[in-house]
Amino acid sequence: MVVVGAGSAGCALAGRLAEDPAKQVLLLEAGPVENMPDLLDAASLAATRAGHPSNWAYAAELRPGRSATVPRGRGVGGSSAINGAIWVRAAPADADGWAIPGWTWADLLPHYIRSEHDLDHPATPWHGDCGPVPVRRPAGGLLHPAATRFLDAAERIGFPPEPDKNAGSPPGAGLVPSNSVDGVRVSAAHAYLDRHRANLVVRPRAGVARVRFDGDRTRGVELLDGTVLEAGEVVLAAGAIATPHLLLLSGVGPPDDLRAAGLPVVCELPGVGRGWSDHPAVFLPFGTADQPAHPHAPGSQAALDLDAGADPAGDVEVLVFVRPFVADGDLHLMCMLQQPDSRGTITLTSPDPRVRPRISYAYLRTEHDRRRLRHAIRTAADLLRAGLGTRTAPTGDVLGSDRALDGWIGAHLSTAQHLSGSAAMGAVVDAELRVHGVRGLRVADTSVLPVVPRRGTAATAAAIGEKAATLLRS
């Protein structure tokens, strides 16, 4: 068995498969082994900056005239080694709304439970107490005063509490669960990979160029150096950007695009790299007189999920960051649209696997999306007025005008980096994650989700790996 990609899903999948001594698992990762101190520091987001050796830093167009660099983890552990260590599950309405047999909330919950050791709720039926990923919420000296004021302000302006963001309860304001302990980010590699297992080989710096086929049967993978590794089954878990890119390079995707790139068509699947979604985001800076956060405190500590339209499960989120992004800078509220209409594309720019694909998010094309993101920003301003802190931008005249606020959003637009659906179940893979039209090839990462979940994707990526391991074992 060859697993391509040692990120959250790939590590979970490979680690669980290797628990069976009869299985031989080769885990290929294009990047290096994670060994840099700032990858262990849960409070550090240094690796999310362009130029860091642990970041692929993909160039992308968020909307016409607005580009961005999208951080993705480069190395064993993938994005779980560089992200904000937020461990939140999808909402029940997400999984049930996918309408995929075997992927309802009731189906997925055991895999969430299996992945975690919740240190705050170890004895409840919806939490795990023996999984590899430790999960806890900030408390005591690790709970920043701004997070406490955030929750107080949310209650003051009428939003309900959500005591446990991972309990599948109605949306509200609550503390953010984190996969960090004593200031250490516990990546998927640390959680799942037992390097002492003789039947698990982790091979870093082994970039895959394409999947090789004999007719419609998967033969194995070709590495960037030309080496061909034979395999009876291959699972792509390279992430929601690299996985569709590999499918396209392998001749699996929209036929016209493949022919235009000079690639042979192995299987016509128009959904590869198309129709995916992510969370548009804008950061609202604010000032406080608080002392700096404890060195072990996670940066994102509390969130408000709310309904900005007619979605009782919540469709926007405001998240407070209690650490400045630059020394002596402001703190930030991250305002996100969690159920966007926008759909993006990933397309080839070259048949050379070393050339990055073109990534277009097509954010905020609909008035429905623009209206709800405006609502999130105005809610964030209400939280600041209710005692959270001092707003530094946008100004009141901008907040009061839809047109002016749309302009401000356009100039500050970002993304939450939760890309999902670029090789979606239904369009590209079946409910057992097998790629349509070929044999011996599966996908197991967030690219298989029909749409992006309402909340962050790290816990869901691990649950996908857990679920994939169950499917492959059976």
Side-chain angles (χ1 to χ4, degrees):
M1 170 73 63
V2 170
V3 179
V4 179
S8 298
C11 286
L13 170 59
R16 290 303 192 191
L17 287 177
E19 290 176 352
D20 179 354
K23 289 192 178 295
Q24 298 294 318
V25 183
L26 173 60
L27 178 58
L28 301 175
E29 168 55 43
V33 174
E34 51 164 326
N35 57 7
M36 304 181 71
D38 54 4
L39 301 188
L40 296 176
D41 182 1
S44 173
L45 293 175
T48 63
R49 302 187 186 111
H52 193 283
S54 296
N55 182 1
W56 287 111
Y58 287 96
E61 181 187 72
L62 300 182
R63 62 185 303 191
R66 179 66 176 175
S67 298
T69 300
V70 180
R72 293 285 81 195
R74 179 180 180 272
V76 177
S79 294
S80 72
I82 73 170
N83 63 16
I86 296 173
W87 195 262
V88 288
R89 298 171 177 175
D94 291 317
D96 292 341
W98 298 333
I100 303 291
W103 288 84
T104 67
W105 174 253
D107 295 319
L108 203 53
L109 182 58
H111 301 290
Y112 282 122
I113 291 172
R114 182 172 166 78
S115 71
E116 72 174 15
H117 181 185
D118 194 302
L119 301 170
D120 300 320
H121 304 286
T124 55
W126 55 87
H127 283 303
D129 62 359
C130 57
V133 181
V135 181
R136 77 177 345 152
R137 292 103 186 131
L142 301 185
L143 179 60
H144 193 272
T148 302
R149 289 198 307 277
F150 178 93
L151 298 178
D152 291 342
E155 182 179 9
R156 194 172 296 123
I157 61 178
F159 291 105
E162 187 182 1
D164 181 2
K165 287 284 181 185
N166 283 341
S169 51
L175 296 175
V176 172
S178 174
N179 55 304
S180 63
V181 176
D182 296 330
V184 176
R185 177 189 287 109
V186 180
S187 74
H190 290 142
Y192 281 100
L193 299 183
D194 183 349
R195 310 294 176 86
H196 299 294
R197 291 189 187 276
N199 63 331
L200 173 62
V201 176
V202 181
R203 187 170 169 184
R205 301 188 185 277
V208 172
R210 59 186 54 84
V211 179
R212 296 287 293 268
F213 296 95
D214 283 332
D216 67 350
R217 176 72 197 180
T218 302
R219 174 184 164 194
V221 297
E222 178 185 334
L223 302 186
L224 290 174
D225 64 7
T227 303
V228 175
L229 302 176
E230 304 282 346
E233 185 151 23
V234 172
V235 183
L236 299 182
I241 294 176
T243 283
H245 190 211
L246 279 172
L247 287 170
L248 294 170
L249 291 166
S250 305
V252 178
D256 292 344
D257 292 356
L258 297 176
R259 294 188 186 102
L263 289 168
V265 179
V266 173
C267 181
E268 297 186 6
L269 283 179
V272 174
R274 295 182 177 178
W276 50 265
S277 49
D278 200 338
H279 298 148
V282 175
F283 289 90
L284 199 73
F286 70 96
T288 76
D290 297 319
Q291 294 297 310
H294 188 285
H296 291 172
S300 43
Q301 295 204 346
L304 169 63
D305 292 274
L306 65 145
D307 169 21
D311 188 343
D315 56 357
V316 299
E317 181 176 80
V318 181
L319 178 71
V320 62
F321 281 82
V322 301
R323 293 182 180 280
F325 297 153
V326 296
D328 300 321
D330 287 330
L331 306 186
H332 287 81
L333 294 174
M334 186 180 188
C335 306
M336 290 175 284
L337 174 57
Q338 303 296 80
Q339 283 282 280
D341 299 330
S342 308
R343 294 294 182 267
T345 56
I346 294 171
T347 52
L348 288 171
T349 57
S350 168
D352 183 345
R354 294 174 178 81
V355 178
R356 303 289 182 87
R358 180 181 296 108
I359 304 168
S360 174
Y361 282 78
Y363 273 160
L364 304 180
R365 283 189 171 181
T366 69
E367 173 58 23
H368 184 230
D369 278 0
R370 294 191 293 272
R371 176 180 60 77
R372 290 180 295 156
L373 190 53
R374 290 195 298 262
H375 183 82
I377 293 169
R378 286 166 174 156
T379 300
D382 289 342
L383 291 168
L384 291 168
R385 281 193 292 267
L388 172 57
T390 304
R391 188 178 74 248
T392 58
T395 58
D397 56 334
V398 171
L399 280 172
S401 163
D402 287 356
R403 182 175 180 180
L405 186 52
D406 283 345
W408 187 87
I409 290 171
H412 295 83
L413 185 63
S414 183
T415 180
Q417 304 139 37
H418 298 150
L419 201 155
S420 303
S422 50
M425 284 186 281
V428 177
V429 302
D430 66 14
E432 294 194 1
L433 307 181
R434 296 172 297 205
V435 176
H436 296 313
V438 296
R439 294 177 292 163
L441 180 62
R442 301 195 198 212
V443 174
D445 54 36
T446 62
S447 61
V448 304
L449 302 178
V451 295
V452 65
R454 284 169 173 81
R455 303 190 181 183
T457 50
T460 300
I464 292 169
E466 294 268 8
K467 170 86 170 176
T470 301
L471 292 171
L472 285 160
R473 282 196 300 264
S474 64

